[in-house]
Amino acid sequence: MSRNGLLINYGWCTGCHSCEVACRNSHGLPLDQWGIKLTQIGPFKIGEDKTEWNYVPVPTSLCDLCVDRVAEGRKPACVHNCLAQCMEYGPIDELMKKMEEIGEKVNVYLP
Amino acid sequence: MTTKYKVGTEKDYSVRTCAWSAPGCHPTGCGLIMHVKDGKLVEVEGDPDHPVSQGRVCVRCLSLPEVIYHPDRILYPMKRAGKKGENKWERITWDEAYDIIVEKVRYYQENYGLTSIAMMGGTGREATFYFPALSYAVLQTPNNVGVLSGLSCYGPRCAVTEYVLGAGYPEIDYAAYFPDRYDNPEFQLPEYIMIWGKSPLESNADGFFGHAIIDMMKRGTKIIAVDPRVTWLTSRAEYHLQIRPGTDAALALGMLNVIINEDLYDHEFVEKWTFGLDKLAERVQEYPPKKVADICWIKEETLVNAARAFAKAGNSSIQWGVALDMNWNGIQAIQAVLYLMVLTGNIDVPGGNTLAEPSSFMGKWRYETHHQIPEEIYEQRIGNEEFPFFNYGLMACSPDNTLDFFEKQQPYPVKMVWSNSQNPIANAACVPKRWHEAFKKIEFWVSQEIFMTPTVSAYADIVLPVATFAEHEGVVIPHFGRNSAFVGAINQCIERVGECKSDLEICFELGKRLNPKAWPWETVSEFFTEQIKEKTGLTYPELKDKVVQQQKYVYRKYEKGMLRSDGEPGFETLTGLIELKATIFESWGEDPLPYFKEPPFSPYSTPDLYAEYPLVLTTGGRKFTSFHSEHRQIPSLRQITPWPTVEIHPDTASELGIMDGDWVCIENHLGKCRMKALVQPTVHPKVVHALHGWWYPEQDGAEPNLFGTFKSNINMLMPHKKVGNLGLGANYKSNLCKVYKVSGLDD
Ligand code: SF4
Ligand code: SF4
Ligand code: SF4
């Protein structure tokens, strides 16, 4: 069995911040700490009518992949609440396969 | 202890519920699981079994515990202890509060008449559902008023739809009516969704779950965006029509011109179900694409291509936003955009725009409560002499005339205001300092609130604490009954903090004292059962157990006699058809056909002002972190959006010597305010976009500072009563300004 990780299909991440707040709440983190933090790429122009604008959440060293929730058969807090449903949790070999299927703007993290 | 919606032990348990307010949100009714430990709400997460939200939650609901247990929350009824505006309060009991209120209401009714009291409310929140009843059936005043100039939110879109098409709100089809959602065989994925003047992802406006757009995009739906800003969503659109703010009507007429002249409209539908195409066709000749493109500051090619793509596509929909209402030309913009849905045959078809009756569920009850007031008094509503449409077409008062009434205390005096779900001097009111002076003339003021606001501090004599949605029983109905895919139960999750009560409980208790005949129910549960039983077949306790009850949807109701009260096929209009020439508008002094009119202050209508104020100012783009002026004191949310910002193009910023993050002053001939510059290439170099509803709960709340409410309030730059012929629509989203660097929020 391979290790578990987080897949973020960030092409669809709308920058809603729900993952950040859900993670902080479920882990009792203070306001100045994040288990996952949103980064923002753009907006900048890449053509007359084209703008590059991506949000890419990045788990930090405080991310424990929600061991407790997962042990109870629940999804990680960030995955569960994500407004764009663009996050998945699972064994990395499966996630890598999905990543290839998705084909663009996608990350798999091993925090 | 365990019920169908509640699992656990007496102190540690989880409750399934649907969200609404307080704190502010629209009736989106997202499904939540509320985790309670030792009687306290410790965590909120999404309910995966909710058919629409499916486990997803935005940051506002996620931070609900920070609202409920916030140290600044109002927990008890209070009366003013110092002078008005000193922000000093003394705790009283509910009985004392009701006694004081009843005595004042009776005094004003007897000495100044029923019209001397005004019920004043804001938008979207649960209170808005009950304030018509609070106005008509509790306080028995016809003056159910607001401050938003031109009533320019939702009302105009609903009114035009009602008179042109005879139905409720035409929401896009997102399969919300079906348990199996997008997989339902009757549903069809829209090929395009045209999103016009709206930020659905952040706003979830009027009960539309915004991220359903993402669901459909993932399945292949393409986006046509009409927005003066580049946003994350427009960056993923196939066509982005980045128009000059306030030119929506011109753009829609230009698109209609392409669709009619190139014969791209749905002949079968238009010939059978509409009236007046020849007149509309004549009118759109005045709006050739080249001319319109110049008006809108876009390329002719983009306009033509987008119009063609939309008209030639399979079933598609248009999601329109408040930007259409917020325009003195809004009625015409709305009418023309509605005609885009109609001419392409996208009305009431799978993947098109869905329709329902204009008012169902409690919509009926709440408006029928106006029979609690004698007809001749009801007709004395503020503003309906100047704007007959308010008398016949809409059950509302003109907000602009309300300011005139309050200022002059003429033609009749207004002595008492009941305020809920609003914070007008921080948000919504144009010319906020004029409103401030006018509000100071109100003798007696009651506010229902969860936090102290500039409005409560400045005017209130009595404050009543409102329960959050975790602390009371309720129902939530998207679109307030005008197109409701489901009815949700708001299940109380925790014991109330302090002595807060829900908006409906306050109506009940005061109603029983002031006008008992209108309030025959013993409990809210009994009341809700009566309201929902007919449509859902459920009692309220049954709904609580189910948490969500979806409604059935039937497509092409106009073919089946389901949109007309006489059961005949067609639409509930004068002609029985969709009116492409809205004859009835003539009787209210309006052109029956859509037209374009320049905003009152613009590069073309006021070139002299433009020389001095060389930027077009648009406002009010939404954020995930707030509901209008609310949520500014919630730590997790304020951290994400710490300051108000104004979006400026990098070229313009560099000309003005402004760097990203600098404090700037935004100023025009009416007023000024300060925000931080957000320098990015998302607006036209001649356009800036400012956030709305900013005040500073961390600052001194007493006069004259009032939580800094006049410092960053963009409405300081908005004109009074520049409204359309019907009294509807005002240009919150298209004014002029200049921007210059300053040292900080204060000097
Ligand atoms: S998996 Fe759990 S710990 Fe990791 S980022 Fe998501 S919510 Fe936080
Ligand atoms: S919750 Fe999902 S959509 Fe929202 S910011 Fe996080 S990854 Fe993006
Ligand atoms: S949209 Fe409204 S109801 Fe839904 S999660 Fe956000 S705040 Fe809650």
Side-chain angles (χ1 to χ4, degrees):
Chain A
M1 235 190 66
S2 76
R3 283 173 63 187
N4 290 314
L6 272 184
L7 175 144
I8 299 176
N9 188 356
Y10 70 83
W12 291 111
C13 168
T14 57
C16 75
H17 294 268
S18 285
C19 50
E20 291 179 353
V21 178
C23 176
R24 185 185 286 143
N25 290 352
S26 64
H27 287 69
L29 298 175
L31 204 57
D32 55 358
Q33 292 184 358
W34 289 261
I36 187 166
K37 181 116 172 58
L38 212 53
T39 60
Q40 183 178 337
I41 316 299
F44 57 84
K45 291 274 180 207
I46 51 171
E48 201 193 340
D49 295 318
K50 233 181 149 22
T51 300
E52 182 78 2
W53 191 332
N54 297 312
Y55 295 101
V56 186
V58 185
T60 74
S61 24
L62 295 173
C63 169
D64 62 358
L65 287 172
C66 283
V67 269
D68 296 345
R69 287 177 63 102
V70 170
E72 292 170 8
R74 300 157 79 197
K75 286 182 190 167
C78 55
V79 177
H80 181 108
N81 294 288
C82 171
L83 275 185
Q85 290 179 329
C86 66
M87 312 177 89
E88 277 181 58
Y89 166 83
I92 49 165
D93 51 355
E94 280 175 31
L95 295 183
M96 295 303 277
K97 241 183 260 150
K98 276 199 186 141
M99 181 162 166
E100 215 176 338
E101 279 163 28
I102 292 165
E104 59 173 19
K105 293 190 175 171
V106 54
N107 282 342
V108 171
Y109 289 106
L110 287 177
Chain B
M1 170 63 204
T2 297
T3 63
K4 285 195 182 136
Y5 64 91
K6 188 170 179 182
V7 188
T9 63
E10 198 188 327
K11 290 260 164 203
D12 301 338
Y13 54 88
S14 305
V15 174
R16 286 181 65 213
T17 186
C18 293
W20 195 355
S21 68
C25 189
H26 296 273
T28 313
C30 296
L32 304 178
I33 303 177
M34 314 283 267
H35 297 291
V36 178
K37 275 220 158 59
D38 207 14
K40 264 189 104 169
L41 179 68
V42 289
E43 200 183 337
V44 175
E45 67 176 342
D47 177 359
D49 294 329
H50 188 290
V52 175
S53 62
Q54 298 172 335
R56 297 169 274 185
V57 193
C58 86
V59 285
R60 299 195 302 276
C61 270
L62 287 172
S63 52
L64 183 67
E66 294 174 48
V67 175
I68 294 177
Y69 306 110
H70 197 289
D72 297 342
R73 214 184 135 190
I74 297 171
L75 298 177
Y76 304 97
M78 296 191 291
K79 71 174 184 196
R80 178 164 58 78
K83 289 203 198 76
K84 280 209 195 209
E86 283 187 349
N87 200 23
K88 290 185 182 146
W89 305 93
E90 178 190 328
R91 182 175 164 183
I92 54 176
T93 65
W94 275 98
D95 269 334
E96 283 172 290
Y98 286 144
D99 286 346
I100 296 170
I101 293 167
V102 169
E103 193 196 309
K104 289 282 186 187
V105 169
R106 292 285 180 241
Y107 172 77
Y108 293 127
Q109 284 176 338
E110 276 155 33
N111 291 285
Y112 300 94
L114 295 178
T115 50
S116 66
I117 299 174
M119 158 61 225
M120 198 165 218
T123 191
R125 306 158 182 99
E126 222 174 306
T128 64
F129 212 52
Y130 303 111
F131 66 49
L134 179 56
S135 179
Y136 309 139
V138 178
L139 301 169
Q140 287 184 282
T141 169
N143 290 324
N144 170 18
V145 302
V147 300
L148 191 72
S149 181
L151 204 78
S152 44
C153 175
Y154 199 64
R157 275 171 291 159
C158 291
V160 172
T161 310
E162 202 164 327
Y163 289 100
V164 165
L165 204 142
Y169 190 96
E171 186 54 271
I172 64 167
D173 187 2
Y174 58 118
Y177 283 91
F178 306 120
D180 48 351
R181 299 294 308 278
Y182 309 108
D183 296 330
N184 187 285
E186 277 193 71
F187 174 74
Q188 199 179 311
L189 192 74
E191 188 170 333
Y192 282 98
I193 303 175
M194 181 136 58
I195 302 177
W196 198 309
K198 191 173 198 125
S199 315
L201 303 179
E202 296 87 348
S203 70
N204 304 286
D206 314 306
F208 170 77
F209 180 76
H211 276 68
I213 301 269
I214 303 294
D215 296 346
M216 291 190 276
M217 286 170 77
K218 284 182 181 169
R219 286 166 171 80
T221 295
K222 290 169 284 184
I223 301 296
I224 299 172
V226 180
D227 197 319
R229 294 187 300 153
V230 175
T231 64
W232 179 92
L233 188 57
T234 70
S235 78
R236 272 121 178 110
E238 186 149 299
Y239 298 95
H240 177 200
L241 299 140
Q242 193 173 357
I243 59 169
R244 174 165 63 93
T247 61
D248 307 77
L251 177 65
L253 284 156
M255 291 178 118
L256 287 169
N257 175 296
V258 173
I259 292 169
I260 293 173
N261 288 353
E262 297 188 6
D263 199 18
L264 301 175
Y265 63 90
D266 182 335
H267 281 258
E268 207 187 315
F269 182 80
V270 171
E271 274 147 34
K272 195 153 182 205
W273 301 109
T274 71
F275 161 84
L277 177 67
D278 51 331
K279 294 283 180 266
L280 180 65
E282 238 170 68
R283 174 60 56 88
V284 302
Q285 299 317 314
E286 294 168 31
Y287 299 92
K290 172 74 177 77
K291 175 178 161 188
V292 168
D294 290 345
I295 293 173
C296 299
W297 293 358
I298 58 173
K299 280 187 270 182
E300 179 185 356
E301 186 193 320
T302 321
L303 182 163
V304 173
N305 290 345
R308 284 181 187 153
F310 187 73
K312 288 181 183 169
N315 292 3
S316 294
S317 59
I318 303 180
Q319 188 173 60
W320 55 12
V322 73
L324 291 177
D325 306 313
M326 291 197 154
N327 192 327
W328 72 349
N329 186 205
I331 292 293
Q332 292 72 36
I334 293 163
Q335 203 182 348
V337 173
L338 192 60
Y339 293 161
L340 285 170
M341 301 173 201
V342 172
L343 291 199
T344 53
N346 281 311
I347 293 289
D348 206 17
V349 295
N353 283 84
T354 58
L355 289 184
E357 301 160 50
S359 69
S360 50
F361 289 106
M362 296 157 72
K364 258 203 193 82
W365 163 76
R366 59 196 193 124
Y367 285 108
E368 277 170 7
T369 54
H370 84 260
H371 296 304
Q372 295 294 322
I373 304 167
E375 196 53 36
E376 69 278 10
I377 304 279
Y378 187 63
E379 278 173 9
Q380 291 171 29
R381 301 202 296 294
I382 291 174
N384 75 359
E385 248 173 48
E386 182 174 354
F387 297 116
F389 187 68
F390 281 89
N391 202 12
Y392 304 108
L394 261 185
M395 299 198 31
C397 299
S398 155
D400 300 271
N401 294 53
T402 302
L403 175 57
D404 301 340
F405 263 64
F406 282 18
E407 271 179 344
K408 300 192 191 90
Q409 290 290 318
Q410 287 289 345
Y412 57 73
V414 180
K415 295 285 181 184
M416 169 178 167
V417 163
W418 185 298
S419 163
N420 71 28
S421 61
Q422 65 156 4
N423 184 5
I425 46 161
N427 192 44
C430 292
V431 287
K433 287 224 161 145
R434 259 179 79 182
W435 277 99
H436 180 51
E437 292 307 317
F439 283 152
K440 286 202 272 188
K441 299 187 176 177
I442 303 297
E443 267 179 27
F444 183 67
W445 182 295
V446 180
S447 274
Q448 274 170 256
E449 255 305 346
I450 52 170
F451 288 110
M452 236 355 120
T453 66
T455 301
V456 180
S457 170
Y459 320 115
D461 297 281
I462 300 282
V463 198
L464 304 175
V466 178
T468 66
F469 70 83
E471 297 162 302
H472 71 263
E473 304 286 347
V475 298
V476 50
I477 304 177
H479 276 299
F480 312 93
R482 291 180 157 265
N483 189 341
S484 307
F486 66 87
V487 183
I490 299 170
N491 284 321
Q492 186 170 346
C493 308
I494 49 167
E495 289 298 318
R496 291 146 201 256
V497 180
E499 294 177 358
C500 58
K501 290 184 197 280
S502 75
D503 300 297
L504 182 63
E505 286 165 335
I506 296 172
C507 273
F508 255 63
E509 292 176 3
L510 198 60
K512 281 173 184 294
R513 289 178 184 235
L514 281 170
N515 185 30
K517 69 176 190 305
W519 300 93
W521 308 276
E522 283 301 319
T523 61
V524 291
S525 179
E526 202 181 285
F527 167 81
F528 286 132
T529 294
E530 190 176 310
Q531 296 297 335
I532 64 170
K533 185 87 196 206
E534 192 191 320
K535 291 267 171 187
T536 64
L538 300 175
T539 64
Y540 184 61
E542 285 164 351
L543 178 68
K544 284 173 65 76
D545 274 341
K546 292 193 78 166
V547 187
V548 185
Q549 170 79 13
Q550 277 170 295
Q551 299 298 295
K552 287 214 170 17
Y553 192 81
V554 180
Y555 291 111
R556 296 190 175 84
K557 292 185 282 298
Y558 52 87
E559 288 178 350
K560 302 168 181 127
M562 295 171 69
L563 288 177
R564 290 182 54 87
S565 42
D566 60 9
E568 290 295 315
F571 295 83
E572 187 87 326
T573 58
L574 291 179
T575 53
L577 299 167
I578 299 175
E579 304 203 333
L580 300 179
K581 172 176 185 265
T583 319
I584 196 167
F585 285 12
E586 274 169 324
S587 60
W588 296 319
E590 183 57 282
D591 190 332
L593 291 163
Y595 56 88
F596 169 66
K597 182 176 164 192
E598 268 292 326
F601 305 110
S602 90
Y604 308 106
S605 57
T606 53
D608 293 351
L609 267 184
Y610 185 54
E612 200 177 337
Y613 303 107
L615 295 168
V616 175
L617 167 67
T618 192
T619 66
R622 304 299 195 247
K623 290 277 179 195
F624 287 106
T625 41
S626 57
F627 187 74
H628 298 295
S629 62
E630 285 197 66
H631 296 103
R632 305 273 176 241
Q633 61 283 83
I634 307 307
S636 291
L637 302 176
R638 187 71 184 274
Q639 182 188 55
I640 296 167
T641 313
W643 299 106
T645 50
V646 54
E647 234 165 299
I648 308 174
H649 190 278
D651 295 348
T652 310
S654 112
E655 265 172 43
L656 296 169
I658 293 167
M659 305 266 278
D660 188 60
D662 281 349
W663 278 99
V664 295
C665 184
I666 313 159
E667 183 175 338
N668 70 10
H669 58 298
L670 296 164
K672 56 185 173 184
C673 75
R674 291 179 178 203
M675 295 192 179
K676 283 192 166 216
L678 176 65
V679 178
Q680 55 181 35
T682 46
V683 281
H684 187 284
K686 299 299 276 178
V687 175
V688 295
H689 164 255
L691 294 179
H692 73 298
W694 269 87
W695 57 289
Y696 300 98
E698 66 276 17
Q699 290 193 7
D700 179 15
E703 283 269 24
N705 189 56
L706 296 173
F707 298 107
T709 196
F710 300 116
K711 292 182 184 177
S712 298
N713 184 344
I714 195 64
N715 290 354
M716 301 285 281
L717 288 80
M718 306 286 146
H720 174 57
K721 214 174 186 177
K722 292 285 183 192
V723 295
N725 296 335
L726 301 181
L728 293 173
N731 292 63
Y732 283 83
K733 292 188 185 286
S734 40
N735 283 288
L736 294 175
C737 73
K738 64 178 177 185
V739 176
Y740 52 92
K741 201 172 153 168
V742 289
S743 56
L745 175 60
D746 304 285
D747 282 320

